Coordinates of all heavy atoms in Angstrom, one line a residue:
A296 N 0.8 -1.2 0.0 CA 0.0 0.0 0.0 C 0.9 1.2 0.0 O 1.9 1.3 0.7 CB -0.9 0.0 1.2
S297 N 0.5 2.2 -0.8 CA 1.2 3.5 -0.8 C 0.3 4.6 -1.0 O -0.9 4.5 -1.3 CB 2.2 3.5 -2.0 OG 1.5 3.4 -3.2
G298 N 0.8 5.8 -0.7 CA 0.0 7.0 -0.9 C -0.7 7.5 0.4 O -1.6 8.4 0.3
G299 N -0.3 7.0 1.5 CA -1.0 7.5 2.8 C -0.2 7.1 4.0 O 0.7 6.3 3.9
I300 N -0.5 7.7 5.1 CA 0.1 7.2 6.4 C -1.0 6.5 7.1 O -2.0 7.0 7.6 CB 0.5 8.5 7.2 CG1 1.5 9.3 6.4 CG2 1.0 8.0 8.5 CD1 1.9 10.6 7.1
F301 N -0.9 5.2 7.0 CA -2.0 4.3 7.4 C -2.0 4.0 8.9 O -1.1 3.4 9.4 CB -1.9 3.0 6.6 CG -1.9 3.3 5.1 CD1 -0.8 3.0 4.4 CD2 -3.0 3.8 4.5 CE1 -0.7 3.3 3.0 CE2 -3.0 4.1 3.1 CZ -1.9 3.8 2.4
A302 N -3.1 4.4 9.5 CA -3.3 4.0 10.9 C -4.8 3.7 11.0 O -5.7 4.2 10.3 CB -2.9 5.2 11.8
F303 N -5.2 2.8 12.0 CA -6.6 2.5 12.2 C -7.2 2.0 10.9 O -8.2 2.6 10.4 CB -7.4 3.6 12.8 CG -6.7 4.1 14.1 CD1 -6.1 5.4 14.1 CD2 -6.7 3.4 15.3 CE1 -5.5 5.9 15.2 CE2 -6.1 3.9 16.4 CZ -5.5 5.1 16.4
Y304 N -6.7 0.9 10.4 CA -7.2 0.4 9.1 C -7.5 -1.1 9.2 O -7.1 -1.7 10.2 CB -6.1 0.6 8.0 CG -4.8 -0.1 8.3 CD1 -4.6 -1.4 8.0 CD2 -3.7 0.6 8.9 CE1 -3.4 -2.1 8.3 CE2 -2.6 0.0 9.2 CZ -2.4 -1.4 8.9 OH -1.2 -2.0 9.2
V305 N -8.1 -1.6 8.2 CA -8.2 -3.0 8.0 C -7.7 -3.3 6.6 O -8.1 -2.7 5.6 CB -9.7 -3.5 8.2 CG1 -9.8 -5.0 7.9 CG2 -10.2 -3.1 9.5
M306 N -6.9 -4.3 6.5 CA -6.4 -4.8 5.2 C -6.9 -6.2 5.0 O -7.0 -6.9 6.0 CB -4.9 -4.7 5.0 CG -4.4 -3.2 4.9 SD -2.7 -3.1 4.3 CE -2.9 -3.4 2.6
G307 N -7.1 -6.6 3.8 CA -7.6 -7.9 3.6 C -7.4 -8.4 2.2 O -7.0 -7.7 1.3
W308 N -7.8 -9.6 2.0 CA -7.8 -10.3 0.7 C -9.2 -10.8 0.4 O -9.9 -11.4 1.3 CB -6.8 -11.4 0.7 CG -5.4 -11.0 0.7 CD1 -4.6 -10.9 1.9 CD2 -4.6 -10.6 -0.4 NE1 -3.4 -10.5 1.5 CE2 -3.3 -10.3 0.2 CE3 -4.8 -10.6 -1.7 CZ2 -2.3 -9.9 -0.7 CZ3 -3.7 -10.2 -2.5 CH2 -2.5 -9.8 -2.0
Y309 N -9.7 -10.5 -0.8 CA -10.9 -11.0 -1.3 C -10.6 -11.8 -2.6 O -9.5 -11.7 -3.1 CB -11.9 -9.9 -1.6 CG -12.4 -9.2 -0.4 CD1 -11.6 -8.4 0.4 CD2 -13.8 -9.3 0.0 CE1 -12.1 -7.7 1.5 CE2 -14.3 -8.6 1.1 CZ -13.4 -7.9 1.8 OH -13.9 -7.2 2.9
R310 N -11.5 -12.6 -3.0 CA -11.3 -13.4 -4.2 C -12.6 -13.5 -5.0 O -13.7 -13.5 -4.4 CB -10.7 -14.8 -4.0 CG -11.7 -15.7 -3.2 CD -11.0 -17.0 -2.9 NE -11.8 -17.9 -2.1 CZ -11.4 -19.1 -1.6 NH1 -10.1 -19.5 -1.7 NH2 -12.3 -19.9 -1.0
Q311 N -12.4 -13.6 -6.3 CA -13.6 -13.8 -7.2 C -13.3 -14.9 -8.2 O -12.4 -14.7 -9.0 CB -13.9 -12.5 -7.9 CG -15.2 -12.6 -8.7 CD -15.7 -11.2 -9.1 OE1 -15.0 -10.2 -9.1 NE2 -17.0 -11.1 -9.4
A312 N -14.0 -16.0 -8.1 CA -13.9 -17.1 -9.0 C -14.8 -16.8 -10.2 O -15.8 -16.0 -10.1 CB -14.3 -18.4 -8.3
P313 N -14.5 -17.4 -11.4 CA -15.4 -17.2 -12.5 C -16.8 -17.5 -12.3 O -17.2 -18.6 -11.7 CB -14.8 -18.2 -13.5 CG -13.4 -18.4 -13.1 CD -13.4 -18.3 -11.6
G314 N -17.7 -16.6 -12.6 CA -19.1 -16.8 -12.5 C -19.6 -16.6 -11.0 O -20.8 -16.9 -10.8
K315 N -18.8 -16.2 -10.1 CA -19.2 -16.0 -8.7 C -18.9 -14.6 -8.2 O -18.2 -13.9 -8.9 CB -18.4 -17.0 -7.8 CG -18.7 -18.5 -8.1 CD -18.1 -19.4 -7.1 CE -18.5 -20.8 -7.3 NZ -17.9 -21.8 -6.3
Q316 N -19.6 -14.3 -7.1 CA -19.4 -13.0 -6.5 C -18.1 -12.9 -5.8 O -17.5 -13.9 -5.3 CB -20.5 -12.7 -5.6 CG -21.9 -12.4 -6.3 CD -22.9 -12.0 -5.3 OE1 -22.9 -12.3 -4.1 NE2 -23.9 -11.2 -5.8
R317 N -17.6 -11.7 -5.6 CA -16.4 -11.5 -4.8 C -16.7 -11.9 -3.4 O -17.7 -11.5 -2.8 CB -15.9 -10.1 -4.9 CG -14.5 -9.9 -4.4 CD -14.0 -8.4 -4.7 NE -13.9 -8.2 -6.1 CZ -13.4 -7.1 -6.6 NH1 -12.9 -6.1 -5.8 NH2 -13.3 -6.9 -7.9
E318 N -15.7 -12.6 -2.7 CA -15.9 -13.0 -1.4 C -14.7 -12.7 -0.5 O -13.6 -12.7 -1.0 CB -16.3 -14.5 -1.3 CG -15.1 -15.4 -1.7 CD -15.4 -16.9 -1.5 OE1 -16.5 -17.2 -1.1 OE2 -14.5 -17.7 -1.8
L319 N -15.0 -12.5 0.8 CA -13.9 -12.3 1.7 C -13.1 -13.5 1.9 O -13.6 -14.6 2.0 CB -14.5 -11.9 3.1 CG -13.6 -11.8 4.3 CD1 -12.6 -10.6 4.1 CD2 -14.3 -11.8 5.6
V320 N -11.8 -13.4 1.9 CA -10.9 -14.5 2.3 C -10.3 -14.3 3.7 O -10.4 -15.2 4.5 CB -9.7 -14.6 1.3 CG1 -8.8 -15.7 1.7 CG2 -10.2 -14.8 -0.1
A321 N -9.7 -13.2 3.9 CA -9.1 -12.9 5.3 C -8.9 -11.4 5.4 O -8.7 -10.7 4.5 CB -7.8 -13.7 5.4
T322 N -8.9 -11.0 6.7 CA -8.6 -9.6 7.0 C -7.7 -9.5 8.2 O -7.7 -10.5 9.0 CB -9.9 -8.8 7.3 OG1 -10.6 -9.3 8.4 CG2 -10.8 -8.7 6.1
I323 N -7.0 -8.4 8.3 CA -6.2 -8.1 9.5 C -6.3 -6.7 9.8 O -6.3 -5.8 8.9 CB -4.7 -8.6 9.2 CG1 -3.9 -8.5 10.5 CG2 -4.1 -7.8 8.1 CD1 -2.5 -9.2 10.4
N324 N -6.4 -6.3 11.1 CA -6.5 -4.9 11.4 C -5.2 -4.4 12.0 O -4.2 -5.0 12.1 CB -7.7 -4.6 12.3 CG -7.6 -5.2 13.6 OD1 -6.5 -5.7 14.1 ND2 -8.7 -5.2 14.4
T325 N -5.3 -3.1 12.5 CA -4.1 -2.4 13.0 C -3.5 -3.2 14.1 O -2.2 -3.1 14.3 CB -4.5 -1.0 13.5 OG1 -5.3 -0.4 12.5 CG2 -3.3 -0.2 13.7
V326 N -4.3 -3.8 15.0 CA -3.8 -4.5 16.2 C -3.6 -6.0 15.9 O -3.6 -6.8 16.9 CB -4.6 -4.2 17.4 CG1 -4.5 -2.7 17.8 CG2 -6.1 -4.6 17.2
D327 N -3.6 -6.4 14.7 CA -3.3 -7.8 14.2 C -4.4 -8.7 14.6 O -4.2 -10.0 14.6 CB -2.0 -8.3 14.8 CG -0.8 -7.6 14.2 OD1 -1.0 -7.0 13.1 OD2 0.3 -7.6 14.8
N328 N -5.6 -8.2 14.8 CA -6.8 -9.2 14.8 C -7.1 -9.7 13.4 O -7.1 -8.9 12.5 CB -8.0 -8.5 15.4 CG -7.9 -8.1 16.8 OD1 -7.3 -8.8 17.6 ND2 -8.4 -7.0 17.2
T329 N -7.3 -11.0 13.3 CA -7.5 -11.6 12.0 C -8.9 -12.2 11.9 O -9.5 -12.6 12.9 CB -6.4 -12.6 11.7 OG1 -6.4 -13.6 12.7 CG2 -5.0 -12.0 11.6
N330 N -9.3 -12.4 10.7 CA -10.6 -13.0 10.4 C -10.5 -13.8 9.1 O -9.8 -13.3 8.2 CB -11.7 -11.9 10.3 CG -13.0 -12.5 10.0 OD1 -13.5 -13.4 10.7 ND2 -13.7 -12.0 8.9
Y331 N -11.0 -15.0 9.1 CA -10.9 -15.9 7.9 C -12.2 -16.4 7.5 O -13.1 -16.7 8.3 CB -10.0 -17.0 8.2 CG -8.5 -16.7 8.5 CD1 -8.1 -16.4 9.8 CD2 -7.6 -16.6 7.5 CE1 -6.8 -16.1 10.1 CE2 -6.3 -16.2 7.7 CZ -5.9 -16.0 9.0 OH -4.6 -15.7 9.3
E332 N -12.4 -16.6 6.2 CA -13.5 -17.3 5.7 C -13.4 -18.7 6.0 O -12.2 -19.3 6.1 CB -13.6 -17.1 4.1 CG -14.9 -17.5 3.5 CD -14.8 -18.9 3.0 OE1 -13.8 -19.5 2.7 OE2 -15.9 -19.6 3.0
D333 N -14.5 -19.4 6.3 CA -14.4 -20.8 6.9 C -13.6 -21.7 6.0 O -12.9 -22.6 6.6 CB -15.8 -21.3 7.1 CG -16.5 -20.7 8.3 OD1 -15.9 -20.0 9.1 OD2 -17.8 -20.8 8.4
S334 N -13.7 -21.6 4.7 CA -13.1 -22.7 3.9 C -11.6 -22.5 3.8 O -10.9 -23.5 3.4 CB -13.7 -22.6 2.5 OG -13.2 -21.4 1.8
V335 N -11.0 -21.4 4.3 CA -9.6 -21.3 4.3 C -8.9 -21.4 5.7 O -7.7 -21.4 5.8 CB -9.2 -19.9 3.6 CG1 -9.9 -19.8 2.3 CG2 -9.5 -18.7 4.5
K336 N -9.8 -21.5 6.7 CA -9.2 -21.6 8.0 C -8.3 -22.8 8.2 O -8.6 -23.9 7.7 CB -10.3 -21.7 9.1 CG -11.1 -20.3 9.3 CD -12.2 -20.5 10.3 CE -12.9 -19.2 10.5 NZ -14.1 -19.3 11.5
G337 N -7.1 -22.6 8.8 CA -6.2 -23.6 8.9 C -5.3 -23.8 7.7 O -4.3 -24.6 7.8
R338 N -5.6 -23.2 6.6 CA -4.8 -23.3 5.4 C -4.1 -22.0 5.0 O -3.0 -22.0 4.5 CB -5.7 -23.8 4.2 CG -6.3 -25.2 4.4 CD -7.0 -25.7 3.2 NE -8.0 -24.9 2.7 CZ -8.1 -24.3 1.5 NH1 -7.1 -24.5 0.6 NH2 -9.1 -23.6 1.1

């Protein structure tokens, strides 16, 4: 990420498979709290 001084943010990854809607994969916030979509947990 560039173009800002980032504080109090959430960054994450989403994915979009052919013919499907974009979905959340995982997120991480400023204090390193993480969240995962069920199908990727543990992987």
Side-chain angles (χ1 to χ4, degrees):
S297 62
I300 300 175
F301 304 111
F303 306 108
Y304 60 83
V305 179
M306 290 194 76
W308 292 92
Y309 290 70
R310 66 186 179 187
Q311 188 166 17
K315 295 188 177 181
Q316 290 187 332
R317 191 174 298 189
E318 64 174 3
L319 169 73
V320 177
T322 61
I323 187 167
N324 67 9
T325 314
V326 294
D327 290 342
N328 291 323
T329 58
N330 179 52
Y331 294 92
E332 194 267 332
D333 285 345
S334 70
V335 308
K336 286 180 180 177
R338 300 189 298 122

